Amino acid sequence: MMRALDERLLIVEPDSRQVARLQKILLDNGFYVIGSCADGEEALQICEQLSPTLILLSDALAEPLVVVELAGQLLRQFNLPVVFLSDTEARGSAAMEALAAGFVSRPVREQDLVRSLRLAARLHRREQQLQAENLALRSSGNGRQQPSIQLSQDASYHLYSGTLLRAGRTIRLTPKEQKFLDLLCRHQGAVVAFEQIFVEVWDCEAGNFQSLRILVHRLRRKLGAQDAIENIFEMGYRLNLMGS
């Protein structure tokens, strides 16, 4: 069978029986599984040595905080999309929501697993393509630096690099926060409908409003301005620029 994806998948799961079942499902659907491991330290070593492009991470690995920290390190150090294998309670974690490229609930259904991994890989490739295009845009224009967008008294955002600066310091954004801020900046002063936000940030037509509210709350704190992102009742969100 031809591979469904040109991806190198690593499974991080402590239950060997679960690993065997996951591997069979993935191999039957054309995925290239480079291996599996049962702890975070080994996962980081494998990423260093074998360069996977996609991670399936079980929340049964350790305490939830440890799993979240590992996912964050995989994202920061290797820029790898992480799909969580989790239960419904784990899906309610704001930290996991921020870091996840996707979720697969237990008990695992083959179609859900395959669909989530394919979607995560496709979105990650799209993000990399957009980053490359943005870099090309920044390099064009005879070397002129692209202007930044002033979001609050001491916070500015560079649209093409996805960099948020506050008081001269770089503030880290999660992938979803960056997508959301990019979307608002591209529609400066206009209301961006909820439907468009869910499609472009979560890649779904109808998303979780609680997750969206959490994302907006985090961004407002990072910007240092509660009124920088305005909720337009039953319509969507609007970016309020300084001086507008």
Side-chain angles (χ1 to χ4, degrees), residues 54-67:
L54 186 61
I55 306 292
L56 180 61
L57 174 59
S58 170
D59 67 346
L61 184 69
E63 293 299 319
L65 182 60
V66 176
V67 177

Side-chain angles (χ1 to χ4, degrees), residues 17-48:
R17 290 174 299 180
Q18 182 78 292
V19 169
R21 178 168 181 260
L22 292 170
Q23 284 182 327
K24 184 180 186 308
I25 292 174
L26 294 170
L27 291 172
D28 287 346
N29 283 275
F31 284 83
Y32 177 29
V33 180
I34 66 169
S36 64
C37 60
D39 63 73
E41 183 176 347
E42 188 178 358
L44 295 172
Q45 291 176 354
I46 292 175
C47 289
E48 190 75 46

Side-chain angles (χ1 to χ4, degrees), residues 66-189:
V66 176
V67 177
V68 169
E69 288 176 350
L70 174 59
Q73 190 167 353
L74 290 167
L75 184 63
R76 291 189 303 272
Q77 187 172 342
F78 301 103
N79 189 28
L80 291 173
V82 177
V83 174
F84 285 100
L85 177 60
S86 62
D87 55 30
T88 53
E89 291 183 3
R91 291 193 64 167
S93 164
M96 279 190 172
E97 287 279 0
L99 294 169
F103 284 96
V104 180
S105 297
R106 295 190 184 88
V108 175
R109 295 195 306 171
E110 180 173 337
Q111 60 184 12
D112 292 340
L113 177 64
V114 172
R115 182 172 58 246
S116 294
L117 289 171
R118 284 177 174 166
L119 178 59
R122 185 167 69 249
L123 291 178
H124 186 64
R125 288 197 300 272
R126 183 190 302 172
E127 289 175 6
Q128 290 179 315
Q129 181 180 1
L130 288 174
Q131 289 172 3
E133 291 173 354
N134 288 338
L135 182 60
L137 285 172
R138 293 181 64 208
S139 302
S140 64
N142 298 322
R144 291 175 296 176
Q145 185 176 8
Q146 295 290 346
S148 62
I149 301 171
Q150 197 69 31
L151 301 178
S152 66
Q153 186 173 356
D154 60 353
S156 61
Y157 185 68
H158 295 258
L159 180 59
Y160 296 119
S161 67
T163 302
L164 175 64
L165 297 176
R166 183 176 175 191
R169 297 180 58 187
T170 300
I171 306 299
R172 182 184 176 275
L173 298 174
T174 68
K176 287 184 174 61
E177 289 171 349
Q178 183 177 338
K179 286 181 183 179
F180 181 67
L181 204 50
D182 278 346
L183 180 59
L184 293 185
C185 287
R186 295 199 310 268
H187 299 81
Q188 297 176 26

